[in-house]
Amino acid sequence: MPSLKLFGVTFDRSNATYMPGEIVNGKIILDTIKEKQVRGLYVSTKGISYVHWSESDLLDDSKSRTYSNSEEYYHFKYNIFGTQDCQAGHKIPYGHNEYTFSFRLPNDIPCSFEHTNGYIRYTVKAVIDRPWKFDHECKAAFTVVSDLNLNLHREKCFGINDGIRKSFKRLCWCGQGSMDLQITVPSSGYVPGQTINTTLNYMNYSNEQITKVSVTLLRKLQFYATSKTLSNIKVIKKTSDFGPFQKNGQITPEILVPPIAPSYLQHCKIINLNYELIVSVHISAVFSKIKRTYPLLIGTIPLYYPSLPSPYNVVPYSSNSNVTKPAIMPVPMTMPEQASAANIPTAPTQDLANSSSFNLDIPPPSYEACMSGTQNIRDHNESDFVLGANTFFAPRYPVFNYPALSLSK
């Protein structure tokens, strides 16, 4: 491409992050070393999702089968100048040139997401249409963040209060004592930037000891091809506290939620996303690991409460059963009488209870790149000669700057 020194797409926002329904403004930058005769210049923007993976044939390992599926949410195309019907009647002047573009995003589109087995991706492509020659093309990706307001899903944001009794028995069923544990988490709904505070209270009536407590933030994905589903599980973050611990006491692991996509990926039918919190208690007795799994909702707008009492009065659990089922306990949620889904604020504005889930005055979120991205933004059926298609891209998600609040002593 000897006649072009620079050909690229830029956006009016430095983080190139937008919400559904917003207007996306940008520029096409052209720097030529000589005047260029062209048929026209046009912009193409689209939002698509695509899933793909390969699996070995069960009967022949040397063969594999590929599964895929796709969705298109929008595809706009319009001319900056010229048309495809005319001949080379337009000139791009020598030197630096800028051409603006603008379009409005649809309302019901899913959040950007990138994974090795699939993506939800939004791009702008600029094309210099040249008669009798290959077109010049350049491309850039931007992030769309769809709202998941935790206040509209309060029934999924209850606190966790799980009582467990573990009995220890050995040969001849000789009694070896027991241990009572109480796992509490103030909420099941979080946004990136919040800390998940897990509290383990325990009373030990045995000679056994807790050797380690681990808390894991887990991501669970499902990719839906036309004829098969692929599941993927990944540990997003994990923290561990190691003994020795006192015979009776409290352990308070913490996990800071990193920049990650909101749960569900609403409006996308071929990728589903969920999160879980896993609490593992390792005990010195053989085969005595206790593992609890709780669903989490990750949103983009945090919970807001004008008034909230302490979420728990922790009472040691007692039962004759060996291990009880998890108990999800509602947390009091008091809103003004006039509050409704239509006027719930989009950010906390008052001082609230001393917990990472019921929060303080905080500034608007920053938008930070997610933990993983894609090696390139080339579509599966796209030419290898598109400028910018080999660019690494990581979507940006809202991260709230919460004050450091710790339950640790």
Side-chain angles (χ1 to χ4, degrees):
M1 201 177 295
S3 61
L4 286 179
K5 291 173 61 178
L6 178 65
F7 185 28
V9 174
T10 63
F11 298 97
D12 63 332
R13 298 178 183 175
S14 59
N15 59 20
T17 301
Y18 303 86
M19 296 180 65
E22 283 196 312
I23 294 176
V24 178
N25 296 302
K27 294 180 181 179
I28 302 167
I29 310 296
L30 272 166
D31 202 344
T32 64
I33 60 174
K34 64 179 181 180
E35 185 180 83
K36 198 169 183 63
Q37 195 83 16
V38 300
R39 180 183 293 163
L41 172 67
Y42 68 87
V43 167
S44 173
T45 176
K46 62 181 178 179
I48 60 172
S49 61
Y50 179 65
V51 299
H52 58 97
W53 70 91
S54 297
E55 295 182 9
S56 298
D57 191 291
L58 294 176
L59 301 178
D60 187 350
D61 289 341
S62 64
K63 298 180 181 179
S64 64
R65 182 174 178 180
T66 299
Y67 299 90
S68 65
N69 202 356
S70 63
E71 284 186 326
E72 184 175 275
Y73 306 109
Y74 72 86
H75 191 179
F76 307 144
K77 178 180 175 182
Y78 62 92
N79 295 317
I80 303 296
F81 59 78
T83 68
Q84 292 183 337
D85 297 329
C86 70
Q87 297 302 314
H90 293 270
K91 295 179 181 179
I92 297 177
Y94 158 77
H96 185 81
N97 299 274
E98 295 185 359
Y99 303 94
T100 61
F101 63 84
S102 181
F103 61 91
R104 184 181 294 276
L105 292 168
N107 289 313
D108 297 329
I109 55 177
C111 188
S112 296
F113 181 74
E114 293 286 345
H115 188 271
T116 54
N117 295 119
Y119 56 78
I120 302 170
R121 187 180 296 163
Y122 299 90
T123 57
V124 171
K125 180 187 286 187
V127 180
I128 299 174
D129 187 358
R130 304 194 300 167
W132 314 294
K133 295 180 180 179
F134 289 111
D135 294 340
H136 294 324
E137 299 177 318
C138 69
K139 184 179 183 182
F142 61 95
T143 301
V144 170
V145 176
S146 301
D147 275 348
L148 199 162
N149 189 340
L150 296 181
N151 299 279
L152 304 182
H153 299 272
R154 298 185 187 183
E155 75 284 355
K156 298 180 180 178
C157 298
F158 289 161
I160 298 166
N161 190 352
D162 189 3
I164 306 162
R165 166 160 286 186
K166 181 67 176 177
S167 297
F168 306 105
K169 296 180 180 179
R170 296 193 178 177
L171 295 177
C172 302
W173 298 96
C174 296
Q176 298 294 322
S178 63
M179 186 181 296
D180 286 344
L181 304 100
Q182 193 85 15
I183 298 172
T184 58
V185 185
S187 174
S188 295
Y190 294 88
V191 294
Q194 280 186 284
T195 298
I196 303 172
N197 291 307
T198 303
T199 302
L200 174 68
N201 287 280
Y202 61 95
M203 297 290 290
N204 193 353
Y205 308 105
S206 73
N207 293 324
E208 307 298 344
Q209 294 180 341
I210 295 176
T211 58
K212 183 173 76 168
V213 175
S214 297
V215 177
T216 303
L217 175 58
L218 196 72
R219 184 186 70 189
K220 301 181 73 173
L221 283 164
Q222 291 81 40
F223 301 96
Y224 302 104
T226 53
S227 60
K228 196 168 186 179
T229 299
L230 174 68
S231 296
N232 178 273
I233 298 176
K234 180 180 179 179
V235 172
I236 298 298
K237 250 188 173 182
K238 182 176 182 179
T239 183
S240 297
D241 288 82
F242 296 88
F245 301 108
Q246 295 178 353
K247 187 175 181 64
N248 304 309
Q250 183 182 88
I251 305 169
T252 56
E254 298 177 347
I255 286 183
L256 180 66
V257 180
I260 51 179
S263 299
Y264 308 145
L265 298 176
Q266 298 177 86
H267 306 300
C268 178
K269 298 178 181 177
I270 64 174
I271 306 176
N272 188 37
L273 169 61
N274 289 283
Y275 296 96
E276 292 180 346
L277 184 72
I278 299 176
V279 180
S280 300
V281 182
H282 301 254
I283 300 173
S284 56
V286 179
F287 306 120
S288 291
K289 176 182 175 181
I290 297 172
K291 182 178 178 180
R292 282 290 194 264
T293 300
Y294 310 105
L296 286 184
L297 186 64
I298 301 299
T300 60
I301 297 177
L303 290 169
Y304 167 77
Y305 304 109
S307 176
L308 184 71
S310 178
Y312 296 111
N313 291 317
V314 178
V315 178
Y317 186 81
S318 179
S319 170
N320 293 325
S321 61
N322 187 34
V323 177
T324 68
K325 294 182 179 179
I328 307 300
M329 304 298 293
V331 174
M333 301 177 182
T334 304
M335 294 289 288
E337 291 182 358
Q338 69 273 22
S340 67
N343 63 15
I344 290 174
T346 58
T349 58
Q350 300 185 20
D351 288 343
L352 306 175
N354 187 23
S355 163
S356 66
S357 294
F358 318 112
N359 281 291
L360 313 166
D361 288 329
I362 54 173
S366 58
Y367 289 85
E368 300 180 16
C370 66
M371 300 173 62
S372 59
T374 179
Q375 296 303 312
N376 62 69
I377 57 172
R378 178 177 290 107
D379 292 340
H380 64 282
N381 56 356
E382 194 168 46
S383 164
D384 292 336
F385 301 99
V386 179
L387 290 174
N390 288 325
T391 303
F392 175 86
F393 174 73
R396 293 178 173 271
Y397 302 122
V399 177
F400 289 81
N401 184 20
Y402 279 84
L405 295 174
S406 174
L407 299 181
S408 301
K409 300 295 183 183

